[in-house]
Amino acid sequence: MARLEAKKPPLFISEPLTKDTVSQSLSLLSGILKSCYGPAGRLKQLHNGVGGYVCTTSQSSALLSCLSVSHPVLRVLMASVQNHISRFSDCGLFTALLCCNLIERFKSLNVASCTVIKISKHLLSLCMDYLKSEACACRVSVDFSSVETLLCLVRSVLTSKPACMLNKPEVDYLTTLILKAFMFTVPCRVETNTVLGKCVIVPVKGRKVMDSAVLPGLLIEAPEIQLAKPITARRTCSNMIKTALFCVSMSGDLCNPEEGAITVPQGISLEVSELNQLLNIGKQLVDDEVDLVVCQKVIHPSLKQYLQENHVMAVDRAGLSLMEPLSRMTGSNPIASIHSLSPSCYGSLKDVRIENFASKHFVHLIPNDTVVCSLILCNRNETAWDELKRACETAEHVLQLTIKEPLALLGGGCTETHLASYIRHKTCSLSTSSFKDMGCSRTQYQLVADGFCRSLESVACSLSHDGGEILTDVVYGHCWFVPSGFPSVSNWSDLVSKCGCGINGSAENLNWRLLQGQFGSPIIPGCPKDPPVKVADFLTLDCFAAKCSGLQVALETANLILDLTYVIEDQN
């Protein structure tokens, strides 16, 4: 008989943020994230203790999904950031870093957590109101009649992922390619409920990046094509290729015995009966003048041969992921049964071709209206390709978010330092009644506001990994990075050429101050100015929607964690 153990009572942990284990874990997590941040971020290799797949990355989506944390406080933080990433794809490290900094700075203040939360909510509202106002000097409008700003957005995503191992010509080439692929997915006709199309990434590993290409329509890998002569689909009188799309197996396999017993009359063969049904479907497809059959699963060899003999092209093993874009591209309704066909389920294509890339053979389905495209993505090895695939998906999502809200924020740490300067300026002019409404004193408000601004500046400083000085100017409130090896008494205008985002040059005397240190960024006399230039060739930009969400998620998660009084853990 198994030994019975008494049920253990739950473990109550009061004031979890005051425990050393939480502080140490939070500091360690912050350090890992900080070292990955930005174009010069250091790569991380993650794998489990018994071996298996090794992930080399600096991207938040891969990093946070591979990191294992045990403390409930950190699990709240990780879950919150991962939820943000699932919705926006971008600014995950920014969100996590800002949240860690806010928690560390707020808990060190001698201010009640309820007061900190009230004040920080007010600071967040100031930031969001400013970012969404026309007066905001750290955002740029995205003009879709010109590609310059869109190229800057895509380039900024690619250059922030060092594990992709791209050089400048490759970045420029892929930037144009990704934007071209995105443009394919934008419908030509705008309707009330317009839905963007889809870009399907086709993997080709072990080839140089410059071999990547984008094609309208879909590529379906078909290895057997090399063993047979290319088959040309016949065409209907309308010069369109009539298409049938099956989402059910056409292999002739019998159902799983676990699903129930089947009673078969003597002398009846289930295999022959199933094959006859498949051939009947094939005959109906030929009679209906279908030119192309695409099946999500496997097509029986006899049916495939019958279709080919009747000049119907058959493609199987398309996979579940291609069903939705295939249906949309052809106008077909996926057929889920081999026992009945309706004429309304057919669709059409403009053309079908055979394409070869590297050692792979593909059937290229070309639609009438291009809202689906294939991005043939190449990179030198599997690790670099995996990272590049994630970067391309992020860039595509950023463009989708930007078409909904055509704005972008200045990158390179400039939005963070500019916001910090704006908040410092704004909080100096608050009236006494504002403090009464929040139930705090001016001193408490200034302490929390300073912690908030320093947290933003700390995220900007995390972009520097070589130990150089970090500056901010008192005119625009932008971030400037000085190369390492120069003393702090240098003439800064001789050492910096452009700010972090690239919009401002050092031609004018901007009265730089050291950002790191006791005093942080200066209080700018008057609101930070709008830069004189709005678009540069190589401007570093961040997705507006993703960064605004990251700012909100970081502060709201920090407030939630600060408000934790007890952690209750089940020990059974």
Side-chain angles (χ1 to χ4, degrees):
M1 183 181 291
R3 183 171 59 91
L4 298 176
E5 292 184 3
K7 191 174 182 181
K8 296 177 183 177
L11 178 64
F12 286 79
I13 304 172
S14 62
E15 302 295 339
L17 287 184
T18 61
K19 310 301 180 186
D20 290 340
T21 52
V22 177
S23 298
Q24 291 166 5
S25 299
L26 191 65
S27 180
L28 178 61
L29 177 63
S30 180
I32 293 171
L33 300 174
K34 181 179 178 180
S35 65
C36 295
Y37 194 49
R42 305 324 190 216
L43 305 185
K44 298 291 176 288
Q45 282 193 329
L46 302 110
H47 60 95
N48 58 40
V50 293
Y53 176 72
V54 178
C55 176
T56 303
T57 186
S58 65
Q59 292 192 47
S60 58
S61 56
L63 193 66
L64 296 181
S65 62
C66 292
L67 277 178
S68 177
V69 295
S70 58
H71 199 282
V73 170
L74 293 188
R75 287 207 295 265
V76 169
L77 193 157
M78 297 275 277
S80 184
V81 176
Q82 284 178 301
N83 182 57
H84 162 82
I85 294 169
S86 70
R87 293 170 57 223
F88 294 94
S89 298
D90 200 20
C91 296
L93 287 178
F94 164 79
T95 306
L97 267 177
L98 180 58
C99 186
C100 289
N101 277 298
L102 287 169
I103 294 169
E104 289 178 342
R105 292 186 185 277
F106 285 169
K107 75 184 181 68
S108 66
L109 300 176
N110 188 23
V111 181
S113 60
C114 59
T115 305
V116 171
I117 292 169
K118 286 181 184 177
I119 297 171
S120 62
K121 285 180 178 179
H122 183 259
L123 294 169
L124 177 63
S125 68
L126 289 178
C127 287
M128 298 310 298
D129 290 345
Y130 178 64
L131 290 173
K132 293 179 179 181
S133 71
E134 293 295 330
C136 180
C138 60
R139 77 175 195 185
V140 294
S141 297
V142 178
D143 182 7
F144 278 85
S145 64
S146 175
V147 298
E148 281 80 4
T149 313
L150 296 173
L151 289 171
C152 288
L153 269 170
V154 177
R155 188 183 293 109
S156 299
V157 172
L158 293 179
T159 54
S160 67
K161 319 297 183 206
C164 295
M165 296 188 288
L166 303 175
N167 56 36
K168 188 181 181 301
E170 290 170 342
V171 169
D172 292 340
Y173 178 72
L174 277 178
T175 297
T176 305
L177 210 61
I178 292 168
L179 184 56
K180 181 180 178 182
F182 173 72
M183 289 303 184
F184 272 133
T185 67
V186 179
C188 296
R189 294 183 295 274
V190 179
E191 300 173 358
T192 306
N193 296 315
T194 300
V195 179
L196 293 176
K198 187 174 181 62
C199 174
V200 177
I201 295 178
V202 179
V204 179
K205 301 171 186 177
R207 299 296 292 260
K208 60 181 185 291
V209 174
M210 304 299 274
D211 289 340
S212 301
V214 62
L215 296 173
L218 276 178
L219 291 175
I220 301 177
E221 190 171 357
E224 70 276 4
I225 287 177
Q226 61 180 323
L227 303 176
K229 61 181 181 180
I231 303 164
T232 305
R234 65 182 185 177
R235 294 173 184 269
T236 60
C237 56
S238 63
N239 208 33
M240 293 289 119
I241 294 175
K242 196 172 183 179
T243 308
L245 180 60
F246 286 85
C247 60
V248 66
S249 174
M250 304 178 78
S251 65
D253 291 342
L254 300 178
C255 60
N256 193 333
E258 295 177 358
E259 294 178 0
I262 301 175
T263 303
V264 182
Q266 189 174 1
I268 299 296
S269 170
L270 281 178
E271 291 84 356
V272 173
S273 176
E274 192 76 8
L275 180 56
N276 287 336
Q277 179 61 41
L278 286 173
L279 292 175
N280 288 335
I281 286 290
K283 185 177 184 302
Q284 185 176 346
L285 291 169
V286 172
D287 292 342
D288 289 345
E289 298 185 335
V290 172
D291 308 307
L292 173 69
V293 174
V294 180
C295 181
Q296 174 186 331
K297 300 180 181 179
V298 177
I299 299 178
H300 194 285
S302 298
L303 175 59
K304 189 180 287 189
Q305 182 180 353
Y306 173 80
L307 292 172
Q308 290 174 354
E309 287 173 353
N310 287 273
H311 308 289
V312 179
M313 192 172 188
V315 180
D316 59 355
R317 295 180 174 90
L320 177 62
S321 62
L322 293 185
M323 285 297 102
E324 188 273 330
L326 271 170
S327 176
R328 180 170 183 187
M329 185 175 77
T330 62
S332 306
N333 294 317
I335 302 165
S337 171
I338 60 169
H339 298 283
S340 62
L341 291 180
S342 168
S344 63
C345 65
Y346 300 133
S348 64
L349 287 168
K350 182 180 179 181
D351 199 2
V352 177
R353 298 175 188 168
I354 306 300
E355 304 280 1
N356 297 311
F357 292 98
S359 59
K360 295 186 176 184
H361 304 270
F362 298 92
V363 176
H364 184 194
L365 309 181
I366 303 173
N368 301 309
D369 294 320
T370 304
V371 290
V372 176
C373 69
S374 297
L375 173 61
I376 303 162
L377 190 61
C378 307
N379 212 338
R380 301 168 187 85
N381 56 61
E382 185 174 357
T383 298
W385 187 89
D386 289 343
E387 191 78 349
L388 183 57
K389 177 179 180 285
R390 286 189 287 266
C392 290
E393 289 171 341
T394 299
E396 183 191 10
H397 196 182
V398 164
L399 291 171
Q400 291 170 351
L401 293 169
T402 304
I403 207 171
K404 293 178 183 177
E405 197 167 13
L407 296 168
L409 289 173
L410 301 178
C414 289
T415 289
E416 289 88 328
T417 54
H418 179 87
L419 268 181
S421 296
Y422 171 79
I423 290 298
R424 285 197 168 97
H425 159 73
K426 196 73 176 175
T427 55
C428 287
S429 58
L430 282 180
S431 62
T432 307
S433 61
S434 300
F435 303 128
K436 286 182 179 178
D437 293 340
M438 286 180 276
C440 68
S441 65
R442 179 181 292 273
T443 302
Q444 288 175 324
Y445 188 92
Q446 292 293 350
L447 282 171
V448 176
D450 184 65
F452 178 79
C453 293
R454 285 178 183 273
S455 297
L456 285 170
E457 291 159 355
S458 181
V459 174
C461 292
S462 299
L463 288 166
S464 176
H465 299 275
D466 59 1
E469 298 288 0
I470 303 166
L471 313 175
T472 185
D473 65 84
V474 299
V475 179
Y476 305 113
H478 281 216
C479 188
W480 304 73
F481 298 95
V482 180
S484 60
F486 294 96
S488 299
V489 293
S490 302
N491 184 5
W492 301 127
S493 58
D494 296 336
L495 302 178
V496 292
S497 57
K498 285 184 177 293
C499 64
C501 68
I503 205 168
N504 291 316
S506 59
E508 56 180 310
N509 183 14
L510 299 177
N511 193 11
W512 291 284
R513 306 278 182 88
L514 285 172
L515 185 60
Q516 293 171 314
Q518 182 181 357
F519 300 106
S521 63
I523 298 173
I524 295 178
C527 194
K529 291 185 179 179
D530 201 350
V533 182
K534 268 296 180 189
V535 176
D537 291 336
F538 296 101
L539 205 61
T540 301
L541 297 176
D542 289 326
C543 175
F544 181 83
K547 197 137 198 180
C548 286
S549 170
L551 182 61
Q552 288 179 290
V553 168
L555 193 133
E556 289 168 0
T557 305
N559 284 346
L560 173 65
I561 292 173
L562 285 170
D563 205 26
L564 288 176
T565 306
Y566 284 99
V567 171
I568 305 171
E569 287 190 88
D570 187 1
Q571 298 185 90
N572 297 291

Short mmCIF file of all heavy atoms in Angstrom, two decimals, residues 74-98:
data_model
loop_
_atom_site.label_atom_id
_atom_site.label_comp_id
_atom_site.label_asym_id
_atom_site.label_seq_id
_atom_site.Cartn_x
_atom_site.Cartn_y
_atom_site.Cartn_z
N LEU A 74 7.82 37.02 -10.83
CA LEU A 74 8.45 37.07 -12.15
C LEU A 74 7.56 36.44 -13.21
O LEU A 74 7.57 36.86 -14.37
CB LEU A 74 9.80 36.36 -12.11
CG LEU A 74 10.90 37.02 -11.28
CD1 LEU A 74 12.24 36.33 -11.50
CD2 LEU A 74 11.04 38.50 -11.63
N ARG A 75 6.79 35.43 -12.81
CA ARG A 75 5.88 34.81 -13.77
C ARG A 75 4.80 35.79 -14.21
O ARG A 75 4.36 35.77 -15.36
CB ARG A 75 5.26 33.54 -13.17
CG ARG A 75 6.23 32.38 -13.06
CD ARG A 75 5.51 31.04 -13.12
NE ARG A 75 4.64 30.84 -11.96
CZ ARG A 75 4.99 30.19 -10.87
NH1 ARG A 75 6.21 29.69 -10.75
NH2 ARG A 75 4.13 30.04 -9.87
N VAL A 76 4.35 36.64 -13.29
CA VAL A 76 3.37 37.69 -13.65
C VAL A 76 3.99 38.64 -14.67
O VAL A 76 3.36 38.99 -15.69
CB VAL A 76 2.93 38.47 -12.39
CG1 VAL A 76 2.14 39.72 -12.78
CG2 VAL A 76 2.08 37.59 -11.49
N LEU A 77 5.22 39.04 -14.42
CA LEU A 77 5.91 39.97 -15.32
C LEU A 77 6.09 39.34 -16.70
O LEU A 77 5.78 39.95 -17.73
CB LEU A 77 7.27 40.34 -14.72
CG LEU A 77 8.04 41.53 -15.34
CD1 LEU A 77 9.02 42.10 -14.32
CD2 LEU A 77 8.79 41.14 -16.59
N MET A 78 6.56 38.09 -16.72
CA MET A 78 6.82 37.41 -17.99
C MET A 78 5.52 37.20 -18.78
O MET A 78 5.48 37.42 -20.00
CB MET A 78 7.48 36.05 -17.72
CG MET A 78 8.84 36.14 -17.06
SD MET A 78 10.18 36.37 -18.23
CE MET A 78 10.44 34.70 -18.75
N ALA A 79 4.46 36.79 -18.08
CA ALA A 79 3.19 36.55 -18.76
C ALA A 79 2.64 37.84 -19.37
O ALA A 79 2.10 37.84 -20.48
CB ALA A 79 2.18 35.96 -17.78
N SER A 80 2.79 38.94 -18.64
CA SER A 80 2.30 40.23 -19.12
C SER A 80 3.04 40.67 -20.38
O SER A 80 2.43 41.11 -21.36
CB SER A 80 2.46 41.27 -18.01
OG SER A 80 1.92 42.50 -18.40
N VAL A 81 4.37 40.52 -20.38
CA VAL A 81 5.17 40.92 -21.54
C VAL A 81 4.90 39.99 -22.73
O VAL A 81 4.79 40.45 -23.87
CB VAL A 81 6.67 40.93 -21.19
CG1 VAL A 81 7.52 41.25 -22.42
CG2 VAL A 81 6.96 41.94 -20.08
N GLN A 82 4.77 38.70 -22.46
CA GLN A 82 4.49 37.76 -23.55
C GLN A 82 3.13 38.02 -24.19
O GLN A 82 2.96 37.84 -25.40
CB GLN A 82 4.59 36.32 -23.04
CG GLN A 82 6.03 35.85 -22.83
CD GLN A 82 6.12 34.45 -22.28
OE1 GLN A 82 5.60 34.15 -21.20
NE2 GLN A 82 6.76 33.55 -23.01
N ASN A 83 2.18 38.43 -23.38
CA ASN A 83 0.87 38.80 -23.93
C ASN A 83 0.99 40.01 -24.84
O ASN A 83 0.37 40.07 -25.91
CB ASN A 83 -0.12 39.08 -22.79
CG ASN A 83 -1.49 39.43 -23.32
OD1 ASN A 83 -2.12 38.68 -24.04
ND2 ASN A 83 -1.98 40.62 -22.96
N HIS A 84 1.80 40.98 -24.43
CA HIS A 84 2.06 42.15 -25.28
C HIS A 84 2.70 41.72 -26.61
O HIS A 84 2.30 42.18 -27.68
CB HIS A 84 2.97 43.14 -24.56
CG HIS A 84 3.62 44.14 -25.47
ND1 HIS A 84 2.99 45.28 -25.91
CD2 HIS A 84 4.86 44.14 -26.07
CE1 HIS A 84 3.80 45.96 -26.71
NE2 HIS A 84 4.93 45.29 -26.83
N ILE A 85 3.67 40.81 -26.54
CA ILE A 85 4.37 40.35 -27.75
C ILE A 85 3.41 39.62 -28.68
O ILE A 85 3.46 39.78 -29.90
CB ILE A 85 5.56 39.45 -27.37
CG1 ILE A 85 6.63 40.25 -26.61
CG2 ILE A 85 6.19 38.81 -28.61
CD1 ILE A 85 7.70 39.39 -25.97
N SER A 86 2.50 38.83 -28.11
CA SER A 86 1.55 38.09 -28.94
C SER A 86 0.62 39.02 -29.69
O SER A 86 0.11 38.68 -30.76
CB SER A 86 0.75 37.12 -28.07
OG SER A 86 -0.14 37.83 -27.22
N ARG A 87 0.40 40.22 -29.16
CA ARG A 87 -0.51 41.17 -29.79
C ARG A 87 0.19 42.13 -30.74
O ARG A 87 -0.40 42.61 -31.71
CB ARG A 87 -1.25 41.97 -28.72
CG ARG A 87 -2.22 41.12 -27.88
CD ARG A 87 -2.74 41.89 -26.68
NE ARG A 87 -3.39 43.13 -27.08
CZ ARG A 87 -3.21 44.30 -26.45
NH1 ARG A 87 -2.41 44.38 -25.40
NH2 ARG A 87 -3.84 45.37 -26.86
N PHE A 88 1.47 42.45 -30.46
CA PHE A 88 2.15 43.49 -31.24
C PHE A 88 3.47 43.04 -31.86
O PHE A 88 4.00 43.75 -32.72
CB PHE A 88 2.42 44.71 -30.34
CG PHE A 88 1.18 45.41 -29.88
CD1 PHE A 88 0.60 45.10 -28.67
CD2 PHE A 88 0.56 46.36 -30.67
CE1 PHE A 88 -0.56 45.72 -28.23
CE2 PHE A 88 -0.60 47.00 -30.26
CZ PHE A 88 -1.16 46.68 -29.04
N SER A 89 4.04 41.93 -31.42
CA SER A 89 5.28 41.36 -31.96
C SER A 89 6.53 42.17 -31.65
O SER A 89 7.62 41.62 -31.57
CB SER A 89 5.19 41.17 -33.49
OG SER A 89 4.17 40.26 -33.82
N ASP A 90 6.42 43.47 -31.49
CA ASP A 90 7.58 44.35 -31.33
C ASP A 90 7.60 44.97 -29.94
O ASP A 90 6.61 44.95 -29.21
CB ASP A 90 7.53 45.45 -32.39
CG ASP A 90 8.87 46.10 -32.63
OD1 ASP A 90 9.90 45.49 -32.28
OD2 ASP A 90 8.90 47.22 -33.17
N CYS A 91 8.77 45.52 -29.57
CA CYS A 91 8.98 46.26 -28.31
C CYS A 91 8.82 45.37 -27.07
O CYS A 91 8.47 45.86 -26.00
CB CYS A 91 8.02 47.46 -28.22
SG CYS A 91 8.29 48.71 -29.49
N GLY A 92 9.10 44.09 -27.19
CA GLY A 92 9.02 43.20 -26.04
C GLY A 92 10.10 43.46 -25.01
O GLY A 92 9.82 43.53 -23.81
N LEU A 93 11.35 43.63 -25.48
CA LEU A 93 12.45 43.91 -24.55
C LEU A 93 12.28 45.28 -23.90
O LEU A 93 12.57 45.45 -22.71
CB LEU A 93 13.80 43.84 -25.28
CG LEU A 93 14.30 42.44 -25.67
CD1 LEU A 93 15.61 42.54 -26.43
CD2 LEU A 93 14.46 41.56 -24.44
N PHE A 94 11.80 46.25 -24.68
CA PHE A 94 11.52 47.57 -24.11
C PHE A 94 10.53 47.47 -22.97
O PHE A 94 10.73 48.04 -21.88
CB PHE A 94 10.98 48.50 -25.21
CG PHE A 94 10.31 49.74 -24.69
CD1 PHE A 94 11.05 50.83 -24.26
CD2 PHE A 94 8.91 49.81 -24.61
CE1 PHE A 94 10.42 51.97 -23.76
CE2 PHE A 94 8.29 50.95 -24.12
CZ PHE A 94 9.04 52.02 -23.69
N THR A 95 9.46 46.73 -23.19
CA THR A 95 8.40 46.57 -22.17
C THR A 95 8.94 45.90 -20.92
O THR A 95 8.71 46.36 -19.80
CB THR A 95 7.24 45.75 -22.75
OG1 THR A 95 6.78 46.36 -23.97
CG2 THR A 95 6.09 45.66 -21.77
N ALA A 96 9.67 44.79 -21.10
CA ALA A 96 10.20 44.04 -19.96
C ALA A 96 11.24 44.85 -19.19
O ALA A 96 11.23 44.88 -17.95
CB ALA A 96 10.80 42.73 -20.44
N LEU A 97 12.13 45.52 -19.92
CA LEU A 97 13.17 46.33 -19.26
C LEU A 97 12.57 47.49 -18.48
O LEU A 97 12.97 47.77 -17.34
CB LEU A 97 14.15 46.87 -20.31
CG LEU A 97 15.40 46.06 -20.59
CD1 LEU A 97 16.21 46.70 -21.71
CD2 LEU A 97 16.26 45.94 -19.34
N LEU A 98 11.63 48.19 -19.10
CA LEU A 98 11.00 49.32 -18.43
C LEU A 98 10.27 48.86 -17.18
O LEU A 98 10.34 49.51 -16.12
CB LEU A 98 10.05 50.05 -19.38
CG LEU A 98 9.31 51.27 -18.81
CD1 LEU A 98 10.31 52.31 -18.32
CD2 LEU A 98 8.37 51.88 -19.86
#
